[in-house]
Amino acid sequence: MSEFELDLPKKKKRKKKPVKKEQKKSETNEEEENEFKFELPKKKKKGRGRGRGRGKRGRGRGKRGRGRGRGRGRGRGRGRGKTKGKEKAKDLNSENLNQTEEPEIEYKVLKSEFEQGLKIEENPDYEYQELLTRFYKTLKERNPELTGENKFIMKHPKVIKGGSKKTVIANAQELCHAMRRRPDHVLSYFLAELMTTGSIDSDGVMIIKGVYREKHIVPILKRYIQTYVACQVCNSVMTSLIKDNRLFFVKCEHCDSKTTVQGIKSGAATNLLRRKQKFQNKK
Amino acid sequence: MTDIKNLETYDPFEDVQEETETKTKTSVFKPIHLRVKTRRGRKKITTIENLSSEFDLKMLLKEMRKKFCCSGSIVNDERLGEVIQLTGDQREPVAEFLVEEEITTKRGIKIHGN
C-alpha cells in the first residue's frame, strides 16, 4: 500500500490546502486508492469496449484510441481548467504511468521492486520488452558510446552572399576536415548537384555561382555524408575514401568494412552550354 | 545416329547462354536522374537522363508537356544519349508521373539538387 501512496501525486496537491481538511482526506485517500484499483480498468471498458483496456497493448490504445505513451492523452478533454475531485486524481494517476505502454498495475509492481534492488531471477514475471527498455536506459546512462545511435553533429555551413550572383561557403575547410574528405571532392559533388560552376580559394573558401542559402546547401551536405562518408554497415563516420583499380571505396575504421561508391558524374546541361557557345562561334 | 540417345550431341550450356544475355541487360542498373539547373534568376530547367530507349520519347514528352503545362525538348548528348528537357522545376511531378505509368519504381529514380 505504501508503494501506491508514493506514486500518487494527488496527495501532494492536497497538502497545500488547510490542515484540518488533510486529516479527513488522508483517510479518504486510502479508500479512493482502493477504488482506483477497480475503477481504472472499468473505465477503459466503458469507453472503448471490452478486451481493449488491457492485453498486449496495455493502455496504449485503450482509452482514446491513441498512444497514451506518447503524451497525447494529456490535455485533451482532461484536466483543462478545473476538474473535480476524482476525475482529477484519476487523470493524474494515468499521467504518471504514461511513460510506457504497459498495464498500470504491473508497472507499479516493477517500480517498487526495481527500487528495492531485487534481482531479475527472483521475479520471472518480467516481459521481454520491459527488460529491453530497462537495458537500453542503463546503457545510455553509463556507456553512451556502445549504443547504436551515433549522432554525428556537424557544424552548419556558413553561407554568405558574395556579390549579386555568387555564394560563398566560408566554413568549407573546417567541414572537409571534420568529414575527412578532400575539399576537391566535396566541391565537385556540390557542383554536380547544383549544376553550376565554382572554385576554391586559397583560404579554403568555396565560391559557387548562383544565389543559394543555407537551406539549399544543408540537404546536399547531408546527402553527401550519407553516400560518401557514413559507413553503410555500422553507421559510423570514421571512414576514408580509397581508390582501387578505378573504383572508389569507403573504408570504415570502426568495423573494417569496404563498400564501393560511385564516382561523381555531372549532368547534361553543362555540356549544352558549351554547345550553344560552339553554335554561336560558328556563326 | 540421333536415335541412339547416347550418341546425341547435347550442349549443356544452351539454356545458360540465353539467360546470361538477358541477365546482362537487367543486371546493369541504370537509375533515372532528375536534375535542375537555374537559367536566369528564378527560371529553371529540369533534365531527365537515362530513360531506356524502349520508350518512345516523343510520346512521353508530349504527355508531360500537357500534364505539367510546360515546354520541353529532346536533346542528344554525346555522353548520356538522349535527354529530355523541361522548363521549370518539375522534379517531383515527373517522379510521380514515372511511377504512375510504371516506367520505373521509386528506387530507380534519383533526384538531385535542392
Side-chain angles (χ1 to χ4, degrees), chain A residues 66-84:
Chain A
R66 295 167 192 167
R68 272 206 215 164
R70 298 173 192 179
R72 286 182 200 171
R74 296 189 197 183
R76 293 203 180 186
R78 291 195 203 180
R80 280 190 190 167
K82 295 182 184 176
T83 56
K84 298 180 184 179

PDB file of all heavy atoms in Angstrom, chain A residues 66-84:
ATOM      1  N   ARG A  66      -5.570   6.488 -29.027  1.00  0.00           N
ATOM      2  CA  ARG A  66      -4.266   6.996 -29.454  1.00  0.00           C
ATOM      3  C   ARG A  66      -3.234   6.612 -28.421  1.00  0.00           C
ATOM      4  O   ARG A  66      -3.565   6.283 -27.307  1.00  0.00           O
ATOM      5  CB  ARG A  66      -4.288   8.533 -29.540  1.00  0.00           C
ATOM      6  CG  ARG A  66      -5.227   9.010 -30.589  1.00  0.00           C
ATOM      7  CD  ARG A  66      -5.451  10.478 -30.434  1.00  0.00           C
ATOM      8  NE  ARG A  66      -6.568  10.897 -31.262  1.00  0.00           N
ATOM      9  CZ  ARG A  66      -7.142  12.093 -31.130  1.00  0.00           C
ATOM     10  NH1 ARG A  66      -6.727  12.919 -30.222  1.00  0.00           N
ATOM     11  NH2 ARG A  66      -8.143  12.417 -31.903  1.00  0.00           N
ATOM     12  N   GLY A  67      -2.003   6.636 -28.845  1.00  0.00           N
ATOM     13  CA  GLY A  67      -0.965   6.194 -27.930  1.00  0.00           C
ATOM     14  C   GLY A  67      -0.805   7.097 -26.732  1.00  0.00           C
ATOM     15  O   GLY A  67      -0.302   8.194 -26.832  1.00  0.00           O
ATOM     16  N   ARG A  68      -1.255   6.647 -25.620  1.00  0.00           N
ATOM     17  CA  ARG A  68      -1.082   7.456 -24.425  1.00  0.00           C
ATOM     18  C   ARG A  68       0.372   7.618 -24.083  1.00  0.00           C
ATOM     19  O   ARG A  68       0.793   8.607 -23.538  1.00  0.00           O
ATOM     20  CB  ARG A  68      -1.763   6.778 -23.252  1.00  0.00           C
ATOM     21  CG  ARG A  68      -3.191   7.122 -23.093  1.00  0.00           C
ATOM     22  CD  ARG A  68      -3.540   6.937 -21.664  1.00  0.00           C
ATOM     23  NE  ARG A  68      -4.893   6.458 -21.525  1.00  0.00           N
ATOM     24  CZ  ARG A  68      -5.325   5.933 -20.401  1.00  0.00           C
ATOM     25  NH1 ARG A  68      -4.533   5.785 -19.399  1.00  0.00           N
ATOM     26  NH2 ARG A  68      -6.558   5.544 -20.304  1.00  0.00           N
ATOM     27  N   GLY A  69       1.135   6.556 -24.416  1.00  0.00           N
ATOM     28  CA  GLY A  69       2.539   6.573 -24.038  1.00  0.00           C
ATOM     29  C   GLY A  69       3.303   7.748 -24.605  1.00  0.00           C
ATOM     30  O   GLY A  69       4.370   8.084 -24.148  1.00  0.00           O
ATOM     31  N   ARG A  70       2.752   8.343 -25.632  1.00  0.00           N
ATOM     32  CA  ARG A  70       3.458   9.459 -26.244  1.00  0.00           C
ATOM     33  C   ARG A  70       2.943  10.789 -25.768  1.00  0.00           C
ATOM     34  O   ARG A  70       3.147  11.804 -26.404  1.00  0.00           O
ATOM     35  CB  ARG A  70       3.300   9.389 -27.758  1.00  0.00           C
ATOM     36  CG  ARG A  70       3.939   8.111 -28.237  1.00  0.00           C
ATOM     37  CD  ARG A  70       3.704   7.867 -29.663  1.00  0.00           C
ATOM     38  NE  ARG A  70       4.097   6.510 -29.965  1.00  0.00           N
ATOM     39  CZ  ARG A  70       3.996   5.975 -31.155  1.00  0.00           C
ATOM     40  NH1 ARG A  70       3.502   6.676 -32.141  1.00  0.00           N
ATOM     41  NH2 ARG A  70       4.357   4.754 -31.366  1.00  0.00           N
ATOM     42  N   GLY A  71       2.263  10.768 -24.694  1.00  0.00           N
ATOM     43  CA  GLY A  71       1.833  12.047 -24.125  1.00  0.00           C
ATOM     44  C   GLY A  71       0.692  12.676 -24.871  1.00  0.00           C
ATOM     45  O   GLY A  71       0.451  13.868 -24.753  1.00  0.00           O
ATOM     46  N   ARG A  72       0.027  11.887 -25.665  1.00  0.00           N
ATOM     47  CA  ARG A  72      -1.070  12.505 -26.401  1.00  0.00           C
ATOM     48  C   ARG A  72      -2.367  12.501 -25.615  1.00  0.00           C
ATOM     49  O   ARG A  72      -3.317  13.154 -25.958  1.00  0.00           O
ATOM     50  CB  ARG A  72      -1.309  11.731 -27.705  1.00  0.00           C
ATOM     51  CG  ARG A  72      -0.242  12.013 -28.691  1.00  0.00           C
ATOM     52  CD  ARG A  72      -0.518  11.290 -29.938  1.00  0.00           C
ATOM     53  NE  ARG A  72       0.727  11.184 -30.708  1.00  0.00           N
ATOM     54  CZ  ARG A  72       0.846  10.451 -31.774  1.00  0.00           C
ATOM     55  NH1 ARG A  72      -0.159   9.749 -32.201  1.00  0.00           N
ATOM     56  NH2 ARG A  72       1.979  10.403 -32.421  1.00  0.00           N
ATOM     57  N   GLY A  73      -2.364  11.645 -24.582  1.00  0.00           N
ATOM     58  CA  GLY A  73      -3.591  11.594 -23.794  1.00  0.00           C
ATOM     59  C   GLY A  73      -3.771  12.818 -22.937  1.00  0.00           C
ATOM     60  O   GLY A  73      -4.825  13.106 -22.432  1.00  0.00           O
ATOM     61  N   ARG A  74      -2.692  13.558 -22.803  1.00  0.00           N
ATOM     62  CA  ARG A  74      -2.791  14.698 -21.912  1.00  0.00           C
ATOM     63  C   ARG A  74      -3.453  15.858 -22.592  1.00  0.00           C
ATOM     64  O   ARG A  74      -3.279  16.091 -23.765  1.00  0.00           O
ATOM     65  CB  ARG A  74      -1.398  15.166 -21.515  1.00  0.00           C
ATOM     66  CG  ARG A  74      -0.649  14.142 -20.732  1.00  0.00           C
ATOM     67  CD  ARG A  74       0.594  14.788 -20.211  1.00  0.00           C
ATOM     68  NE  ARG A  74       1.531  13.794 -19.794  1.00  0.00           N
ATOM     69  CZ  ARG A  74       2.691  14.077 -19.251  1.00  0.00           C
ATOM     70  NH1 ARG A  74       3.012  15.336 -19.071  1.00  0.00           N
ATOM     71  NH2 ARG A  74       3.502  13.140 -18.885  1.00  0.00           N
ATOM     72  N   GLY A  75      -4.171  16.573 -21.788  1.00  0.00           N
ATOM     73  CA  GLY A  75      -4.663  17.855 -22.253  1.00  0.00           C
ATOM     74  C   GLY A  75      -5.723  17.776 -23.316  1.00  0.00           C
ATOM     75  O   GLY A  75      -5.993  18.754 -23.976  1.00  0.00           O
ATOM     76  N   ARG A  76      -6.256  16.638 -23.517  1.00  0.00           N
ATOM     77  CA  ARG A  76      -7.352  16.584 -24.487  1.00  0.00           C
ATOM     78  C   ARG A  76      -8.606  16.173 -23.767  1.00  0.00           C
ATOM     79  O   ARG A  76      -8.847  15.021 -23.506  1.00  0.00           O
ATOM     80  CB  ARG A  76      -7.039  15.556 -25.570  1.00  0.00           C
ATOM     81  CG  ARG A  76      -5.891  15.993 -26.396  1.00  0.00           C
ATOM     82  CD  ARG A  76      -5.937  15.335 -27.716  1.00  0.00           C
ATOM     83  NE  ARG A  76      -4.798  15.782 -28.486  1.00  0.00           N
ATOM     84  CZ  ARG A  76      -4.595  15.477 -29.739  1.00  0.00           C
ATOM     85  NH1 ARG A  76      -5.465  14.725 -30.354  1.00  0.00           N
ATOM     86  NH2 ARG A  76      -3.539  15.898 -30.377  1.00  0.00           N
ATOM     87  N   GLY A  77      -9.377  17.137 -23.436  1.00  0.00           N
ATOM     88  CA  GLY A  77     -10.611  16.847 -22.715  1.00  0.00           C
ATOM     89  C   GLY A  77     -10.352  16.429 -21.297  1.00  0.00           C
ATOM     90  O   GLY A  77     -11.241  15.984 -20.616  1.00  0.00           O
ATOM     91  N   ARG A  78      -9.104  16.538 -20.874  1.00  0.00           N
ATOM     92  CA  ARG A  78      -8.825  16.180 -19.496  1.00  0.00           C
ATOM     93  C   ARG A  78      -8.079  17.294 -18.841  1.00  0.00           C
ATOM     94  O   ARG A  78      -7.168  17.843 -19.421  1.00  0.00           O
ATOM     95  CB  ARG A  78      -7.873  15.002 -19.440  1.00  0.00           C
ATOM     96  CG  ARG A  78      -8.399  13.722 -19.879  1.00  0.00           C
ATOM     97  CD  ARG A  78      -7.386  12.751 -19.364  1.00  0.00           C
ATOM     98  NE  ARG A  78      -7.408  11.523 -20.095  1.00  0.00           N
ATOM     99  CZ  ARG A  78      -6.613  10.534 -19.820  1.00  0.00           C
ATOM    100  NH1 ARG A  78      -5.774  10.656 -18.863  1.00  0.00           N
ATOM    101  NH2 ARG A  78      -6.674   9.439 -20.500  1.00  0.00           N
ATOM    102  N   GLY A  79      -8.438  17.558 -17.680  1.00  0.00           N
ATOM    103  CA  GLY A  79      -7.615  18.448 -16.868  1.00  0.00           C
ATOM    104  C   GLY A  79      -7.544  19.867 -17.384  1.00  0.00           C
ATOM    105  O   GLY A  79      -6.682  20.623 -16.966  1.00  0.00           O
ATOM    106  N   ARG A  80      -8.371  20.205 -18.305  1.00  0.00           N
ATOM    107  CA  ARG A  80      -8.377  21.598 -18.741  1.00  0.00           C
ATOM    108  C   ARG A  80      -9.226  22.385 -17.794  1.00  0.00           C
ATOM    109  O   ARG A  80     -10.370  22.046 -17.542  1.00  0.00           O
ATOM    110  CB  ARG A  80      -8.962  21.697 -20.158  1.00  0.00           C
ATOM    111  CG  ARG A  80      -7.949  21.343 -21.206  1.00  0.00           C
ATOM    112  CD  ARG A  80      -8.505  21.685 -22.543  1.00  0.00           C
ATOM    113  NE  ARG A  80      -7.652  21.135 -23.582  1.00  0.00           N
ATOM    114  CZ  ARG A  80      -8.008  21.064 -24.850  1.00  0.00           C
ATOM    115  NH1 ARG A  80      -9.199  21.484 -25.220  1.00  0.00           N
ATOM    116  NH2 ARG A  80      -7.197  20.572 -25.743  1.00  0.00           N
ATOM    117  N   GLY A  81      -8.661  23.472 -17.335  1.00  0.00           N
ATOM    118  CA  GLY A  81      -9.437  24.242 -16.354  1.00  0.00           C
ATOM    119  C   GLY A  81      -9.591  23.465 -15.088  1.00  0.00           C
ATOM    120  O   GLY A  81      -8.665  22.804 -14.634  1.00  0.00           O
ATOM    121  N   LYS A  82     -10.751  23.503 -14.555  1.00  0.00           N
ATOM    122  CA  LYS A  82     -10.935  22.866 -13.255  1.00  0.00           C
ATOM    123  C   LYS A  82     -11.612  21.522 -13.429  1.00  0.00           C
ATOM    124  O   LYS A  82     -12.641  21.409 -14.092  1.00  0.00           O
ATOM    125  CB  LYS A  82     -11.792  23.752 -12.361  1.00  0.00           C
ATOM    126  CG  LYS A  82     -11.098  25.063 -12.020  1.00  0.00           C
ATOM    127  CD  LYS A  82     -11.961  25.894 -11.084  1.00  0.00           C
ATOM    128  CE  LYS A  82     -11.288  27.236 -10.856  1.00  0.00           C
ATOM    129  NZ  LYS A  82     -12.148  28.092 -10.017  1.00  0.00           N
ATOM    130  N   THR A  83     -11.013  20.538 -12.853  1.00  0.00           N
ATOM    131  CA  THR A  83     -11.686  19.238 -12.774  1.00  0.00           C
ATOM    132  C   THR A  83     -11.956  18.954 -11.321  1.00  0.00           C
ATOM    133  O   THR A  83     -11.316  19.485 -10.426  1.00  0.00           O
ATOM    134  CB  THR A  83     -10.803  18.132 -13.332  1.00  0.00           C
ATOM    135  OG1 THR A  83      -9.577  18.136 -12.636  1.00  0.00           O
ATOM    136  CG2 THR A  83     -10.535  18.374 -14.798  1.00  0.00           C
ATOM    137  N   LYS A  84     -12.915  18.122 -11.114  1.00  0.00           N
ATOM    138  CA  LYS A  84     -13.356  17.944  -9.743  1.00  0.00           C
ATOM    139  C   LYS A  84     -12.907  16.613  -9.210  1.00  0.00           C
ATOM    140  O   LYS A  84     -13.056  15.590  -9.852  1.00  0.00           O
ATOM    141  CB  LYS A  84     -14.876  18.038  -9.694  1.00  0.00           C
ATOM    142  CG  LYS A  84     -15.374  19.406 -10.135  1.00  0.00           C
ATOM    143  CD  LYS A  84     -16.874  19.479 -10.090  1.00  0.00           C
ATOM    144  CE  LYS A  84     -17.303  20.826 -10.642  1.00  0.00           C
ATOM    145  NZ  LYS A  84     -18.763  20.952 -10.644  1.00  0.00           N
TER     146      LYS A  84
END
